[in-house]
Amino acid sequence: MFNDQFKLHIIVFIWGFTAILGVHIELDSFQLVFYRTLIAALSMGVFMKIKKWETKLPTKDVLKLLGTGGLVALHWILFFTSAKISKVSVCLAGIATTALFTSFLEPIFNRTSVKPYEVVLGLFVIVGLYIIFQFEFDHALGLSLSLCAAFVASTFSVLNGKFVKRISSPKITYYEMIGGAITSFILLPFLSTGDTWLSIPSNQDIIYLLVLSIVCTTAAYAVCVEIQKNLSAFQVNLTVNLEPIYGILLALMFFGEKEQMSPGFYIGASVILLSVLSYPVLKKNYNRRSSNNKNLHQEAMNS
């Protein structure tokens, strides 16, 4: 159990490294995402072939997954654009709101009620964002893009929550990476800011892209799926929410003074991160109380 928890922290640490890699890669965000999704799809296909996992799905499901992959590509385009035009810390502060967006979108998709604690945490996140905007207005565009990226991420997360009930996770990832590659390729001629609509990566960029696609995407995913067999959803969600913290610390290590922000930014970011880290704890306690109340009600009805 301890080894699995340690592995999960390593994976989250690796995910926190993706924004830094994105800043170092010279390609624009559209080309970066095209190469990332293409390499990830190919490596996932090879991985599934080695494992002898089936890739066939009904055409209807394939189309849905390809479409969702388009949302994944859009998320990454917004994410990397935010990191490139502002700072990694600003980008990750916005991305930290993904869990809160998800908590409000899930009831809409699943036709359930919004929980009281989700409303309270949502208000705290708004306060944190207000503080950041007050002190870091120069980075308003970068933060706005990362908030859009978080919203898109929460949307495909909810959709994946439905898919995973009847489709294996490897198939979901495989087809969504293909969908992401197709979507970004279609957008390249119209939106890419490179000298040509599809540039050949430099040797350095190729190395970074391989790390980003294989280590940070395919390999990290494969290990995460494996350890989730032994860890509770609560443990996984709580640890994954540490990604922005790891990312901000890594950004300070790699970029030093260039990445340092005003005290107001760190106050606002702390409010957001504490709200996000509190979410799985409050959710677990709320579900436990609801279950206990339901059991008490059932016992009263039976007596």
Side-chain angles (χ1 to χ4, degrees):
M1 183 69 75
F2 174 77
N3 287 336
D4 288 330
Q5 187 70 54
F6 179 73
K7 288 178 184 177
L8 181 58
H9 276 280
I10 294 298
I11 291 169
V12 175
F13 187 82
I14 289 172
W15 285 337
F17 197 64
T18 57
I20 294 170
L21 285 172
V23 170
H24 279 298
I25 293 173
E26 295 177 356
L27 298 170
D28 67 40
S29 300
F30 291 90
Q31 297 185 48
L32 189 165
V33 172
F34 168 69
Y35 282 116
R36 178 184 185 178
T37 50
L38 178 63
I39 296 170
L42 292 172
S43 58
M44 179 59 75
V46 171
F47 178 76
M48 294 176 73
K49 189 75 173 177
I50 293 172
K51 288 283 189 177
K52 297 181 179 178
W53 290 344
E54 183 61 65
T55 59
K56 292 182 180 179
L57 279 175
T59 303
K60 185 178 179 180
D61 287 334
V62 170
L63 293 176
K64 287 181 179 179
L65 291 174
L66 292 177
T68 305
L71 291 177
V72 175
L74 177 59
H75 159 70
W76 280 340
I77 289 168
L78 291 166
F79 174 79
F80 288 119
T81 302
S82 171
K84 284 176 178 291
I85 69 170
S86 57
K87 294 185 179 182
V88 172
S89 297
V90 172
C91 173
L92 292 172
I95 290 297
T97 63
T98 301
L100 274 302
F101 277 126
T102 303
S103 72
F104 286 99
L105 284 177
E106 270 186 327
I108 296 174
F109 279 83
N110 299 327
R111 296 181 181 180
T112 57
S113 59
V114 176
K115 309 298 186 299
Y117 65 87
E118 293 173 343
V119 176
V120 174
L121 290 179
L123 292 174
F124 273 106
V125 168
I126 292 172
V127 170
L129 290 172
Y130 176 78
I131 294 172
I132 292 175
F133 273 114
Q134 287 292 101
F135 287 89
E136 299 292 344
F137 192 75
D138 290 344
H139 298 290
L141 178 58
L143 184 57
S144 298
L145 288 175
S146 67
L147 288 172
C148 291
F151 179 79
V152 175
S154 65
T155 303
F156 70 70
S157 294
V158 174
L159 292 174
N160 282 341
K162 290 178 173 290
F163 294 144
V164 79
K165 293 176 181 178
R166 56 189 182 81
I167 304 173
S168 68
S169 296
K171 288 181 182 179
I172 291 173
T173 303
Y174 176 62
Y175 283 107
E176 286 186 355
M177 289 302 99
I178 294 175
I182 293 171
T183 300
S184 50
F185 183 77
I186 291 172
L187 293 175
L188 279 173
F190 306 101
L191 299 173
S192 177
T193 58
D195 295 331
T196 60
W197 67 273
L198 184 59
S199 305
I200 303 300
S202 64
N203 291 336
Q204 179 176 279
D205 277 357
I206 289 174
I207 294 172
Y208 288 149
L209 283 167
L210 289 173
V211 173
L212 181 63
S213 306
I214 298 175
V215 177
C216 299
T217 307
T218 306
Y221 159 79
V223 176
C224 188
V225 169
E226 187 65 27
I227 62 180
Q228 280 181 306
K229 295 177 182 177
N230 301 317
L231 297 177
S232 67
F234 171 77
Q235 288 175 297
V236 174
N237 291 333
L238 185 61
T239 306
V240 169
N241 284 338
L242 293 172
E243 179 186 343
I245 297 175
Y246 286 151
I248 290 172
L249 293 175
L250 283 167
L252 288 171
M253 288 172 55
F254 276 86
F255 300 117
E257 291 184 2
K258 284 180 60 178
E259 192 62 32
Q260 288 184 0
M261 309 293 289
S262 67
F265 168 82
Y266 293 109
I267 293 172
S270 295
V271 172
I272 294 172
L273 292 171
L274 285 173
S275 300
V276 173
L277 289 172
S278 300
Y279 176 74
V281 179
L282 294 174
K283 182 178 180 179
K284 185 178 182 180
N285 291 334
Y286 180 87
N287 289 340
R288 182 186 299 160
R289 285 198 301 270
S290 297
S291 179
N292 290 338
N293 291 338
K294 186 176 180 180
N295 291 336
L296 289 173
H297 178 72
Q298 189 65 43
E299 288 175 6
M301 292 290 290
N302 294 334
S303 61

